[in-house]
Amino acid sequence: MAVNYATVTWDQLHRDARALAEALMPKMPIKGIVAVTRGGLIPAAIAARELGCRLIETISVVTYDEENMGKPQIIKEPVAAGDGEGFLIIDDLVDSGVTARVVREKLPKAYFACLYAKPAGKELTDLFITEVPQDTWVLFPWDTAPLFVPPLAKSKKSMAD
């Protein structure tokens, strides 16, 4: 279980997705992008815009049932990508590598890129922007919401009462 948390803001995600797109420029021209849903959808959209790519396909792999790890299952195939030749795969994070392995088996000729990679899965990527410690849980902007936090003076005053 993760013991640390890293919060990624919308601004940071956008900067990292643009950095990923810039690093992918030498791969141009490409036939299209395969976004790994759901986390890869937004980074893939940003990269597609930056790379001038109009063909965006998706692959959806389910590995969790509630909170228990299960056998990975593809529930949406990336039909337009064939074996992946000429395609970029984009995801937000490679963690244990379970999803990445399934995606790479399905699209063996594609180039796999993601924003963030943990040590257990990073060898499955061809490119990533930032390495994240294995014990860190990444909180993406779509998983969080800004909340009001009272000023420290108010919280200390109420604690002293």
Side-chain angles (χ1 to χ4, degrees):
M1 187 71 187
V3 294
N4 298 306
Y5 294 90
T7 302
V8 177
T9 64
W10 285 110
D11 288 344
Q12 185 64 49
L13 183 96
H14 193 257
R15 279 191 298 273
D16 290 342
R18 289 191 80 222
L20 186 71
E22 186 173 5
L24 290 168
M25 286 295 294
K27 297 289 168 198
M28 297 304 288
I30 59 168
K31 291 179 184 176
I33 291 174
V34 177
V36 180
T37 68
R38 292 175 303 213
L41 286 169
I42 293 170
I46 294 167
R49 177 193 183 270
E50 297 301 329
L51 298 173
C53 177
R54 296 281 182 175
L55 177 56
I56 303 173
E57 176 62 277
T58 60
I59 184 170
S60 183
V61 180
V62 177
T63 55
Y64 289 92
D65 177 16
E66 300 297 317
E67 298 214 0
N68 301 315
M69 183 69 111
K71 183 179 179 221
Q73 237 181 324
I74 296 174
I75 60 170
K76 197 284 179 183
E77 298 273 349
V79 179
D83 62 4
E85 187 169 357
F87 277 78
L88 303 173
I89 300 166
I90 297 184
D91 205 354
D92 58 349
L93 169 74
V94 62
D95 190 329
S96 66
V98 171
T99 299
R101 274 186 193 86
V102 171
V103 172
R104 288 191 79 89
E105 285 172 14
K106 182 53 103 175
L107 302 165
K109 293 185 178 178
Y111 188 87
F112 193 105
C114 61
L115 299 181
Y116 312 109
K118 291 186 180 182
K122 74 179 185 178
E123 80 272 354
L124 294 164
T125 66
D126 295 308
L127 173 69
F128 62 90
I129 297 302
T130 303
E131 186 169 342
V132 178
Q134 197 67 43
D135 67 349
T136 299
W137 188 265
V138 180
L139 297 170
F140 288 98
W142 48 83
D143 294 326
T144 60
L147 300 173
F148 174 77
V149 177
L152 290 174
K154 289 197 182 233
S155 60
K156 286 187 185 239
K157 186 176 180 182
S158 61
M159 289 172 35
D161 291 340

